[in-house]
Amino acid sequence: NAGVTQTPKFQVLKTGQSMTLQCAQDMNHEYMSWYRQDPGMGLRLIHYSVGAGITDQGEVPNGYNVSRSTTEDFPLRLLSAAPSQTSVYFCASSYNSDGYTFGSGTRLTVV
Amino acid sequence: DAKTTQPPSMDCAEGRAANLPCNHSTISGNEYVYWYRQIHSQGPQYIIHGLKNNETNEMASLIITEDRKSSTLILPHATLRDTAVYYCIVAIYYNQGGKLIFGQGTELSVKP
């Protein structure tokens, strides 16, 4: 198993650009989540999903969209990038009450 | 969601047991206690979780008080590689689909 795969690993965007952060898992996990982590801070939940076709907002959903058309993929879309969205983004997946497996992160800089 | 309180930092000597406390005084009956750690800037790593019984796995032990208002993560023989930020989280897993809310965690420094 590849686990949780996030692409790209690094990205620089200009203010106002849009992009999609990709997240894929090959463990047949139902639950998937997106977090952001600002420098020196803890993780904050952006959006999460309990299965294909079902998503919900987390703590900081503004400026981000998600969809879950398949069990394997959970892309995160930035609609119009802002400097405040400069952060490290982590995707995670889990099965039932087992612990989440996290990806290695996408480091995003918005200039 | 119940909130947790952890000390911001702790030190531990290499080879000694590291005991990381967590208070969760408003925890509900169906909320689990989860522990994760984050080494440097890597993605968080799951350690252990429990509902009301003590739990042990190859990484650590979790001791939950009888009233469930606090818990302790025990790393029995800490090594330098255990230096990390440790997060204690409570979550109603099934109803909220594993909605984990991270706090600030405890920065554990294991020293030679």
Side-chain angles (χ1 to χ4, degrees):
Chain A
N1 290 342
V4 178
T5 302
Q6 292 186 238
T7 56
K9 294 190 182 302
F10 300 93
Q11 183 70 50
V12 178
L13 287 180
K14 294 183 179 179
T15 298
Q17 286 184 315
S18 62
M19 80 160 294
T20 299
L21 279 63
Q22 301 292 342
C23 177
Q25 53 88 10
D26 60 355
M27 300 172 283
N28 200 32
H29 285 174
E30 287 297 315
Y31 303 137
M32 297 187 75
S33 298
W34 275 103
Y35 292 86
R36 62 175 287 176
Q37 186 172 33
D38 299 335
M41 304 291 288
L43 286 85
R44 290 184 292 172
L45 180 65
I46 305 172
H47 286 284
Y48 65 104
S49 169
V50 301
I54 307 171
T55 65
D56 204 349
Q57 297 180 350
E59 303 172 273
V60 288
N62 292 340
Y64 307 94
N65 275 356
V66 292
S67 60
R68 185 93 181 271
S69 56
T70 67
T71 299
E72 294 77 20
D73 300 299
F74 191 40
L76 178 71
R77 284 184 290 277
L78 278 70
L79 309 174
S80 177
S84 60
Q85 293 179 305
T86 293
S87 190
V88 181
Y89 291 83
F90 289 104
C91 178
S93 71
S94 75
Y95 178 76
N96 287 341
S97 64
D98 291 345
Y100 269 95
T101 299
F102 282 78
S104 57
T106 293
R107 284 149 182 81
L108 175 68
T109 301
V110 182
V111 298
Chain B
D1 294 326
K3 294 186 177 180
T4 63
T5 303
Q6 299 178 253
S9 63
M10 292 181 62
D11 290 339
C12 178
E14 188 177 19
R16 298 282 195 168
N19 297 302
L20 290 86
C22 179
N23 288 324
H24 30 79
S25 58
T26 59
I27 190 171
S28 300
N30 55 355
E31 286 184 309
Y32 287 77
V33 179
Y34 286 85
W35 283 85
Y36 285 77
R37 72 180 182 183
Q38 187 175 27
I39 297 172
H40 195 44
S41 57
Q42 299 176 20
Q45 177 188 23
Y46 164 80
I47 301 173
I48 198 167
H49 76 281
L51 185 61
K52 53 185 177 181
N53 296 322
N54 297 338
E55 302 287 345
T56 296
N57 62 21
E58 65 278 4
M59 290 182 66
S61 294
L62 173 61
I63 309 298
I64 303 174
T65 58
E66 190 170 346
D67 62 7
R68 301 207 328 122
K69 293 186 176 181
S70 66
S71 61
T72 301
L73 178 74
I74 301 172
L75 307 178
H77 305 287
T79 71
L80 299 179
R81 290 178 293 180
D82 292 323
T83 292
V85 178
Y86 287 77
Y87 296 98
C88 170
I89 303 164
V90 293
I92 305 173
Y93 209 92
Y94 291 98
N95 290 347
Q96 297 185 1
K99 179 182 172 183
L100 299 182
I101 304 297
F102 285 76
Q104 294 304 305
T106 296
E107 186 168 6
L108 175 69
S109 296
V110 180
K111 300 181 183 301

